[in-house]
Amino acid sequence: MTRLYLPSSLEVLARLHAGEELATTTAVEADDDSEDSEYAALLTAAEASAELVGAGGRRVVVVAEVGRPGDPVTVREVVAVHVDTEAGADPDDDLAWFATQEIGQLVQGADGA
């Protein structure tokens, strides 16, 4: 299995939760299984998410395990989601961790939810 960190937005997360597949073209893969490498991949994906959502948006990183890089992600492959706790959070703040069971609550009110 390959663990991917996908820069996203709440709107994209809502579509994923509704059954759409998520392309992995912008996914970040950790160099190895170490915590430092995984954290670096998370930060890289969070920076890309910040560009995607723009100023005032909430950064979202979807963490998924796929059979191989390039495979599309469905909600079944998601193992966790990292999200800013509030819109416009400081980009140096850590993202909050959410379990897959919490995705529905995260996307309530997001466009397309």
Side-chain angles (χ1 to χ4, degrees), residues 23-93:
T24 58
T25 54
T26 60
V28 179
E29 187 177 346
D31 293 331
D32 55 48
D33 290 337
S34 71
E35 283 186 36
D36 288 340
S37 182
E38 289 183 351
Y39 186 67
L42 173 64
L43 291 179
T44 301
E47 288 175 12
S49 175
E51 292 176 17
L52 178 68
V53 300
R58 291 174 68 185
R59 297 172 298 164
V60 177
V61 176
V62 174
V63 183
E65 290 185 350
V66 297
R68 57 195 158 115
D71 286 352
V73 170
T74 66
V75 75
R76 289 189 323 265
E77 284 87 31
V78 176
V79 295
V81 178
H82 297 266
V83 181
D84 277 322
T85 55
E86 60 185 37
D90 188 318
D92 291 330
D93 287 348

Side-chain angles (χ1 to χ4, degrees), residues 93-107:
D93 287 348
D94 284 336
L95 301 174
W97 178 91
F98 293 90
T100 56
Q101 299 89 328
E102 298 173 286
I103 293 174
Q105 292 173 305
L106 283 170
V107 300

